[in-house]
Amino acid sequence: NVWFDAEDGFRYPAQHLYAPPLLPALIEAVFLVFGPSNFGAMLPSLVAGCLTIPLVWWVGREWFGPAAGLASATLAALSDPHIVFSRTALTDVLLCFWLLLAVYFIWKALAEGGRGPTIAAGLFTALAWWTKYNGWLPLAIGGAGMVPWCVLRSWEGGFAPFGARASSRTTSPGDFAGQPAKASPPRSIESNSAFHIPNSELTTSLFRWLAVAGIAFATWSPWLWSLQSMGGYGAVAANHRGYLVGFAGWTDACQTQFGNLTQLEGTAGQHAPLIALLVTTAWVTFGSRRFTWNSLAGSFDSWLAVGLLSLLSASFRGWGLTACVGALGLVAALAVANQIEQADVRERVRLAAWMLAAWFVGLTLTTPLYTPYPRLTLPWVMASWLAGGLGVYLFVSFLGQVATGKQASATGFFYRVVLSRSNSPLPRGVILFGSVGAGLLGMYALETESYLQGFPGWKSRTGVKEEAANIIRMCRSRMPDDRADDDPFVIYTFAEPALLFQVRLAGAEFVRPVSSLAMAYPDAPRLQLKSFILIGEQAIRTNGFEAEFDTAAKRLRMVSSACLDPSDVVGLDNRWWMPLVDTRAWRDNREVRGELGPCRYRISLFRVD
């Protein structure tokens, strides 16, 4: 935006159709302080991505305890897709940061009330809304989790006053998995024969949610009002509808998103669930007096669990295993929460579990309704961190109780029937070392792809940047020799914002985006300055480009063409796009088409005669 003047509205053309202006404004602020650069463009997302890790820890800790928070933060820190998109100038990482803050304060507002959490929830929801048009998502998550929470509380009866505050920090849900079961409160005949929701509780909950929604909408409304001069929100909605695939495309989009997450995952993400288990086990073991490391390490169940999880870690992708553990953890948490004796703590945990379940399940069902760009999975991935951390903690807690004899062994029957037939310790040792060995062998045999994948978040994505210098050199080589360094020239980019940014950053003074090739039509007047047009894959795949190119082909002369290997971020976006157009001019004009053969991402420079 810093390269556009008042005539352009100080922004990239049609920018309002794709996102509100918060992230561009942050990037512009960085540019004004440090100057335009690639690192400056990524800095807001990079900062938001780094801050997300301690935020995930804090929210997981507040909802389900320190161990669950630590497990969730481990999953977040090792998430390859999140690392990849933290190194972009896209809106999704910043959106997820505001999203988690907003959901957390909505939970606080519903569970405790008070002006502070309500105002904070509204403001953080508004910041998410100013970042991306689906920034209202925290309101949907809060409302969807609130309904079953209120209904089930009313169904059970006999609970503490709605909104009761925790008396002290000792009421934190940190050890809810190990608390004794509470006695079920007696129910009257009327409560069994009729389903009744006390109006005061449901009304209080609804008013708190509406207060958050009102603050969020009021804070976001200035941008909504500003859209009136640009076609209104209807133009934005119409643009978004073009990316919906609907229920007919849900299955294909879901499979594509699974493939996207797999492609973006490397060694760290592959083993994230196993690492989270080990980190959580160490935390619980050394931070709790309920059982010792010796008892846990000497437990057959513990070693078998590590061995089996190692095998699962080798056989399944890390993101998929995290999601499965998270789904099981949510189901278990809703059951285990009933054992908490303190009513206020119990209801806070249950509300958090219901909101997280609504978040996880809701995005599982709705994300594939949209064109499967990989970045759209990030809100769902964030929910899987929190749910997966909860599941890992509950699993470790169960193993600890088994090791100390507080729970029946899950493998006790197998051990008694199979292993107790021999008095020798050999069978037990064989099983223990065999389980771990099978996991390690599975890692070696099945992990080839993830090891080759390495760390996708750190892969180079500088192909367009490196080509920009060549483009400027080729433009200057087509200028008269005696004025090559001084004569101005114009480079037009068609549907290629990345090319515009990199060429302008490389030193080209006049670079303009265009959505039409009208300046090169046969009946168009001759241009006063030497003019060039840059065309890339996004231009070729744009609806209507073939007609534009066919009309302008007679005045276009090929200057250079380069074939780039696109990054995963670009390549996975391209996979869903329409096939390459085969225009008559592109097919018949050998000079225009070039003879480069198959190419994943081609950048072509044309001179306008």
Side-chain angles (χ1 to χ4, degrees):
N1 291 351
V2 297
W3 293 316
F4 295 89
D5 52 27
E7 182 181 351
D8 306 305
F10 299 106
R11 64 168 59 94
Y12 188 85
Q15 175 195 305
H16 66 283
L17 295 179
Y18 300 96
L22 179 58
L23 180 62
L26 293 176
I27 296 175
E28 290 166 36
V30 174
F31 284 1
L32 291 175
V33 176
F34 300 105
S37 67
N38 286 283
F39 180 76
M42 295 188 298
L43 189 58
S45 291
L46 187 61
V47 171
C50 292
L51 292 178
T52 297
I53 298 171
L55 179 60
V56 168
W57 164 78
W58 174 256
V59 173
R61 179 182 184 275
E62 288 289 291
W63 282 359
F64 308 116
L70 186 62
S72 297
T74 302
L75 294 172
L78 298 175
S79 173
D80 291 301
H82 189 256
I83 296 173
V84 167
F85 289 106
S86 293
R87 297 178 62 237
T88 68
L90 298 171
T91 56
D92 302 87
V93 171
L94 183 61
L95 168 72
C96 287
F97 180 73
W98 302 131
L99 170 64
L100 185 53
L101 272 171
V103 170
Y104 169 73
F105 279 104
I106 289 175
W107 168 77
K108 257 183 108 61
L110 292 175
E112 300 178 1
R115 294 181 181 177
T118 302
I119 294 173
L123 292 179
F124 285 123
T125 301
L127 286 171
W129 220 339
W130 274 90
T131 302
K132 202 167 184 178
Y133 283 116
N134 63 345
W136 48 263
L137 190 57
L139 298 175
I141 293 171
M146 175 188 69
V147 171
W149 179 60
C150 288
V151 169
L152 291 179
R153 291 183 69 202
S154 302
W155 176 272
E156 292 173 354
F159 42 79
F162 184 83
R165 293 178 181 269
S167 58
S168 68
R169 290 299 299 172
T170 59
T171 59
S172 168
D175 295 324
F176 76 88
Q179 293 203 12
K182 64 179 179 68
S184 300
R187 288 197 237 181
S188 64
I189 298 177
E190 289 78 12
S191 66
N192 285 328
S193 60
F195 182 74
H196 176 64
I197 302 177
N199 291 331
S200 60
E201 295 171 7
L202 185 59
T203 301
T204 302
S205 180
L206 182 59
F207 270 114
R208 289 174 179 172
W209 182 89
L210 289 175
V212 174
I215 294 171
F217 183 79
T219 309
W220 181 72
S221 59
W223 174 246
L224 179 63
W225 179 260
S226 70
L227 289 175
Q228 303 308 311
S229 61
M230 297 177 282
Y233 190 78
V236 175
N239 181 65
H240 289 173
R241 283 194 294 271
Y243 295 94
L244 289 173
V245 300
F247 293 104
W250 190 94
T251 301
D252 290 340
C254 187
Q255 293 176 348
T256 301
Q257 290 289 28
F258 287 169
N260 291 339
L261 290 172
T262 299
Q263 182 68 25
L264 292 175
E265 185 173 87
T267 305
Q270 174 79 31
H271 301 302
L274 180 59
I275 296 173
L277 174 71
L278 297 176
V279 169
T280 307
T281 301
W283 170 268
V284 173
T285 300
F286 294 109
S288 174
R289 297 180 180 178
R290 288 183 300 160
F291 58 92
T292 65
W293 174 259
N294 290 334
S295 62
L296 190 63
S299 169
F300 174 77
D301 297 83
S302 301
W303 286 102
L304 183 61
V306 172
L308 292 178
L309 190 60
S310 300
L311 186 60
L312 289 174
S313 179
S315 304
F316 297 93
R317 305 306 301 186
W319 65 266
L321 187 56
T322 299
C324 292
V325 171
L328 294 174
L330 285 171
V331 174
L334 290 171
V336 172
N338 293 326
Q339 301 176 7
I340 301 176
E341 290 184 325
Q342 293 175 286
D344 54 349
V345 178
R346 179 174 68 250
E347 296 310 325
R348 288 159 64 93
V349 170
R350 293 175 70 178
L351 175 59
W354 278 116
M355 289 179 62
L356 186 54
W359 184 351
F360 182 79
V361 176
L363 290 185
T364 300
L365 297 176
T366 57
T367 300
L369 296 176
Y370 205 79
T371 303
Y373 298 118
R375 60 186 180 272
L376 301 184
T377 61
L378 285 184
W380 178 85
V381 168
M382 177 176 281
S384 72
W385 300 337
L386 291 165
L390 171 61
V392 167
Y393 163 55
L394 292 176
F395 182 64
V396 171
S397 179
F398 172 77
L399 289 179
Q401 294 180 44
V402 169
T404 55
K406 295 180 180 180
Q407 288 281 358
S409 173
T411 55
F413 177 79
F414 173 80
Y415 179 76
R416 288 194 303 270
V417 172
V418 178
L419 302 182
S420 63
R421 293 181 179 179
S422 173
N423 294 325
S424 171
L426 179 62
R428 179 173 179 173
V430 170
I431 294 296
L432 289 177
F433 288 100
S435 298
V436 177
L440 296 175
L441 181 62
M443 289 182 187
Y444 179 80
L446 303 175
E447 279 285 290
T448 304
E449 181 180 354
S450 70
Y451 285 139
L452 292 177
Q453 189 78 336
F455 298 93
W458 296 104
K459 286 185 176 180
S460 174
R461 301 199 312 268
T462 60
V464 175
K465 174 186 174 182
E466 294 166 358
E467 184 60 26
N470 295 330
I471 290 172
I472 294 177
R473 185 170 61 253
M474 294 302 299
C475 290
R476 287 174 176 164
S477 69
R478 295 303 178 103
M479 304 294 290
D481 292 339
D482 58 342
R483 296 184 300 171
D485 295 331
D486 301 326
D487 233 18
F489 58 89
V490 182
I491 298 178
Y492 296 97
T493 61
F494 189 102
E496 294 285 351
L499 281 174
L500 183 150
F501 181 80
Q502 298 298 345
V503 172
R504 182 65 177 81
L505 205 61
E509 184 176 0
F510 302 106
V511 186
R512 305 294 297 177
V514 294
S515 57
S516 170
L517 299 181
M519 83 291 291
Y521 285 176
D523 56 350
R526 295 188 64 83
L527 300 172
Q528 295 181 355
L529 297 178
K530 288 289 184 180
S531 300
F532 302 87
I533 295 178
L534 269 176
I535 295 173
E537 291 297 314
Q538 294 194 64
I540 296 173
R541 299 173 191 272
T542 300
N543 289 330
F545 171 78
E546 51 261 65
E548 290 282 337
F549 194 89
D550 283 346
T551 305
K554 292 182 179 179
R555 291 187 60 185
L556 297 180
R557 295 294 178 265
M558 174 74 77
V559 175
S560 67
S561 190
C563 188
L564 306 181
D565 185 20
S567 67
D568 290 338
V569 173
V570 176
L572 293 177
D573 278 352
N574 288 351
R575 185 169 64 179
W576 184 258
W577 286 351
M578 67 187 78
L580 280 170
V581 297
D582 186 18
T583 69
R584 177 173 49 80
W586 198 271
R587 182 177 63 252
D588 297 340
N589 191 325
R590 179 171 298 181
E591 179 186 6
V592 170
R593 175 168 51 85
E595 294 294 342
L596 296 180
C599 184
R600 292 185 64 194
Y601 202 94
R602 178 179 298 177
I603 296 177
S604 301
L605 176 67
F606 299 92
R607 189 185 75 246
V608 182
D609 286 345

